[in-house]
Amino acid sequence: MNEDFLIGTYTSKTSKGMYAVTLNHDHQQLENVRLVAASQKPAYLQQVGDRVFAIKQDGDLGGVASYQLKDGQAELIDQKLGAGAPPAYVGYDQDRKLLYSANYHKGTVTVFKVASDGTLTQTDEVTHQGECGPKPEQDAPHAHYADLTPDKRLAVCDLGMDLVVVYDVSDDGKLTQASRYQSEAGFGTRHLVFHPNGQVAYVLGELSSKLEVLKYDAETGSFSHVQTVATIPADWTAHNGAAAIHISSDGKFVYSSNRGENTLAVFAVNDDLTLSHIQSITPAGDFPRDFELSQDETFLVASNQNGDNLTLYARDTTTGQLTLLQQDVACPEPVCVKHKLRNVNTPLVSPQWKSPQGAANSQG
């Protein structure tokens, strides 16, 4: 069995654009890293069937683009570029056929309608404003993530403001703010994932190297704090920036990456949906920015931005722990790993939320 992953990259050194790599399940190895689309800085992307939506830059212009996968290549369909830096994230809404982008440099969230032929039409844009955090990186609002909640609202992580902002989304792609959740000062809210039951989110803080467990109220679209845990040891004093977060489809394990300590951290999800750290493993590369589970979740592919390489792990689906299988798979400036988007719009009905005892103020 073979499975393809798309690799988004920076293009500041030798990378030419968007790449693909094949995971050979039988041989337990990554094979055939190849260029699929020449493009400047396709640093984040989503694959939906044979369509790809990606960040795109063209000189002093930045924005998003749509592609058609055909004969092993990604052919450009449409692009929407504007003055300034490109976004940091793109998310896709399968039901309403909307594309969301979060622009770190501009502090904006932009919505596009995706036509059946893949062309894009902007429907809305909001600009974050307000007080920012105390760290040097928090000089302004920095929208870093924009993707769906299980009940089809839009959750936006703002690293500059230590915020998760939730928006209601109309069918024609208009945003209306529903709630704001304020993390601790300097948290550096970067990305989040929802538990499959739709009642809890796990929010990653880049600047604090911490994870927050938040209860989600679907009636109001708001979050409340349950637990905070660290992604690095308490005695780690050198620089670290937490980067990516993913959860297994059974809701039993959460994974995050650390750039600096250069580890993947594994957390078990407890019965009350709080987290317990169970493993940290080296990604055998420098600056592990992103990673992705295989479709059957028995493997994990990680991208090491500064190491210019990919690494492959076996994943024990019972214990959640990782074992290194392959390292030094050459790939230039890899910063995003994706395969076909799963349908995450319908949350599971169990396990139900259980209020943890004493977890509301815990620090890990």
Side-chain angles (χ1 to χ4, degrees):
M1 173 179 162
N2 289 339
E3 178 180 351
D4 288 337
F5 294 76
L6 291 178
I7 310 297
T9 72
Y10 281 165
T11 51
S12 57
K13 297 187 294 184
T14 62
S15 172
K16 302 300 182 183
M18 190 190 309
Y19 290 76
V21 64
T22 298
L23 168 59
N24 186 319
H25 283 238
D26 295 333
H27 295 164
Q28 297 190 338
Q29 65 181 22
L30 297 173
E31 303 172 343
N32 189 24
V33 176
R34 67 272 187 193
L35 182 69
V36 297
S39 180
Q40 187 179 358
K41 202 178 182 181
Y44 206 88
L45 54 87
Q46 299 282 2
Q47 180 183 352
V48 186
D50 59 1
R51 289 274 169 79
V52 178
F53 303 97
I55 293 166
K56 197 174 193 303
Q57 185 173 347
D58 185 0
D60 295 332
L61 303 178
V64 297
S66 59
Y67 297 84
Q68 180 78 29
L69 288 174
K70 183 178 180 181
D71 299 328
Q73 296 293 301
E75 300 177 355
L76 181 66
I77 298 172
D78 193 15
Q79 61 184 20
K80 288 293 180 285
L81 307 180
Y89 187 95
V90 289
Y92 185 67
D93 184 334
Q94 298 185 64
D95 289 350
R96 289 176 291 221
K97 302 297 185 289
L98 298 174
L99 185 70
Y100 307 102
S101 71
N103 194 301
Y104 177 93
H105 296 278
K106 298 179 181 180
T108 56
V109 181
T110 310
V111 187
F112 301 88
K113 193 74 173 181
V114 183
S116 58
D117 62 358
T119 54
L120 307 172
T121 302
Q122 182 175 323
T123 61
D124 203 1
E125 183 171 86
V126 296
T127 301
H128 285 183
Q129 296 178 331
E131 183 177 353
C132 294
K135 297 196 174 182
E137 299 91 339
Q138 298 178 303
D139 57 327
H142 292 306
H144 212 308
Y145 168 97
D147 221 325
L148 293 179
T149 64
D151 57 347
K152 300 181 181 63
R153 292 184 172 101
L154 185 71
V156 176
C157 294
D158 193 305
L159 180 145
M161 302 178 74
D162 298 318
L163 276 180
V164 180
V165 186
V166 179
Y167 294 93
D168 291 322
V169 185
S170 68
D171 288 343
D172 59 354
K174 301 295 184 181
L175 302 180
T176 304
Q177 184 174 294
S179 71
R180 291 158 67 101
Y181 170 80
Q182 185 75 55
S183 296
E184 64 182 71
F187 185 75
T189 313
R190 181 181 171 95
H191 280 196
L192 65 81
V193 292
F194 272 85
H195 189 276
N197 72 3
Q199 301 174 39
V200 172
Y202 302 100
V203 183
L204 187 63
E206 174 181 335
L207 305 181
S208 61
S209 299
K210 293 178 180 178
L211 270 170
E212 284 190 329
V213 182
L214 304 183
K215 184 179 179 180
Y216 181 65
D217 183 343
E219 288 189 10
T220 60
S222 60
F223 290 106
S224 57
H225 180 264
V226 176
Q227 181 196 27
T228 302
V229 296
T231 67
I232 54 175
D235 59 358
W236 181 266
T237 58
H239 176 267
N240 186 76
I245 182 170
H246 295 283
I247 188 170
S248 57
S249 62
D250 60 10
K252 293 182 178 180
F253 301 98
V254 170
Y255 300 82
S256 66
S257 59
N258 289 302
R259 300 167 296 175
E261 190 199 21
N262 287 349
T263 59
L264 300 179
V266 185
F267 299 86
V269 177
N270 302 316
D271 289 343
D272 61 7
L273 303 182
T274 60
L275 299 178
S276 295
H277 178 263
I278 59 172
Q279 184 189 24
S280 287
I281 185 171
T282 174
D286 187 17
F287 224 63
R289 190 180 182 96
D290 196 17
F291 58 91
E292 179 75 289
L293 297 175
S294 61
Q295 291 284 2
D296 65 3
E297 302 191 349
T298 61
F299 297 96
L300 183 149
V301 179
S303 61
N304 303 297
Q305 177 184 336
N306 293 348
D308 295 316
N309 72 305
L310 307 172
T311 47
L312 178 67
Y313 301 83
R315 176 179 176 269
D316 188 315
T317 57
T318 301
T319 68
Q321 298 202 25
L322 305 174
T323 303
L324 180 64
L325 292 176
Q326 187 184 16
Q327 61 187 31
D328 296 332
V329 179
C331 183
E333 305 172 77
V335 295
C336 179
V337 185
K338 289 292 179 184
H339 50 45
K340 290 183 180 180
L341 186 69
R342 309 176 195 204
N343 187 351
V344 295
N345 288 338
T346 305
L348 301 180
V349 295
S350 62
Q352 293 298 311
W353 167 260
K354 298 179 181 179
S355 179
Q357 297 299 314
N361 297 312
S362 64
Q363 301 284 330

